[in-house]
Amino acid sequence: MLFDLDGVLTPTAEVHMSAWSRLFTPFLAAQDVKPYSDADYFGYIDGKPRYDGVRSLLASRGLSLPDGDPTDGPELETVCGLGNRKNKAFNETLAEDGVSPYPGSLRFLDAVVAAGLQVAVVTSSLNGEMVLTAAGLRDRFEIVVDGVRARAEKLAGKPAPDTYAFGAELLGLTAAECVVVEDAESGIQSGRAGNFGLVLGVNRGVGAEVLFEAGADTVVTDLDELLPLVDGTDPSSTENSTVNGVHA
């Protein structure tokens, strides 16, 4: 099972949403364009590598900036500078408030490991290691493919399937043998593009229909809804089933 991190295992998606709002609300106001909203996060940013999210949001307003360099300071008006400004806000919020895993996700993770399934984290976040450690989850995953690893391996970010395919490869499995667990539209698209055995959506606010349209086989509101299926059951058997009254 290949788990996304923010919004699937930990509620850090909320911290990311706050940090992006702190970045783009004043920035877009200064550009005299349509104001920033939560819909922008779900539509243009959620699940993507940080700098891709900046480019996507700017393009939605007909704006563009020089790419700059990942070492750019957060005060610079470049794609990397804005991305680093957002990351500064994220780190400050995480340091102040900390993070705990979703209880239902933790129960599901423990259950699938106990059932003998292999697990990995595949996240676009450059802060993946820090978030896993802060949430007390780092020692549960031997395989972590985060934004840092993806950059080192020159892997295209979500919605391309490359990072999930790499995670499966590190587990010694084919895509067809793996379940992708995602809450973001771009992550669901990544799993579908990679022809994974099951693409499981977790609706944390983007909307079940959006996840289905992106390619999810099944959508739940919390992973512990699947606990009755774990014991002695292949998780891929949830395909074409009904979860929360919604047909996959």
Side-chain angles (χ1 to χ4, degrees), residues 14-234:
E14 299 168 12
V15 184
H16 282 291
M17 286 183 70
S18 175
W20 283 110
S21 180
R22 287 169 64 181
L23 167 68
F24 275 123
T25 298
F27 180 84
L28 294 182
Q31 306 302 315
D32 196 26
V33 295
K34 180 182 175 182
Y36 181 80
S37 70
D38 286 349
D40 290 316
Y41 174 80
F42 291 119
Y44 304 112
I45 296 170
D46 191 17
K48 297 178 181 178
R50 186 189 311 155
Y51 302 139
D52 288 348
V54 172
R55 293 186 191 95
S56 181
L57 191 282
L58 291 176
S60 76
R61 301 303 197 270
L63 303 173
S64 64
L65 289 173
D67 270 0
D69 185 85
T71 62
D72 284 356
E75 74 283 355
L76 294 182
E77 298 286 307
T78 64
V79 167
C80 292
L82 290 187
N84 293 343
R85 193 181 308 173
K86 175 264 170 183
N87 193 53
K88 182 174 182 290
F90 174 84
N91 289 340
E92 289 171 351
T93 303
L94 190 65
E96 292 168 3
D97 301 337
V99 65
S100 298
Y102 288 109
S105 296
L106 189 58
R107 287 191 290 270
F108 181 72
L109 173 61
D110 287 342
V112 297
V113 170
L117 278 71
Q118 298 183 72
V119 295
V121 166
V122 180
T123 174
S124 297
S125 177
L126 293 166
N127 301 309
E129 293 279 355
M130 180 176 67
V131 171
L132 283 168
T133 299
L137 295 174
R138 183 61 186 89
D139 61 351
R140 294 171 180 263
F141 295 95
E142 182 178 349
I143 303 299
V144 175
V145 181
D146 63 0
V148 176
R149 184 72 185 272
R151 182 180 294 172
E153 301 287 343
K154 295 181 171 56
L155 301 173
K158 303 171 187 177
D162 302 40
T163 51
Y164 275 118
F166 186 63
E169 179 184 339
L170 293 177
L171 290 176
L173 299 171
T174 66
E177 294 173 308
C178 294
V179 177
V180 164
V181 189
E182 266 285 354
D183 71 309
E185 182 178 1
S186 62
I188 294 292
Q189 291 168 341
S190 176
R192 178 54 54 224
N195 295 315
F196 283 84
L198 184 77
V199 182
L200 172 59
V202 185
N203 180 22
R204 303 290 192 193
V206 67
E209 292 307 317
V210 172
L211 297 178
F212 280 126
E213 289 172 7
D217 296 302
T218 298
V219 176
V220 297
T221 57
D222 197 291
L223 287 173
D224 64 1
E225 296 169 31
L226 300 175
L227 288 175
L229 301 172
V230 174
D231 292 334
T233 304
D234 183 342

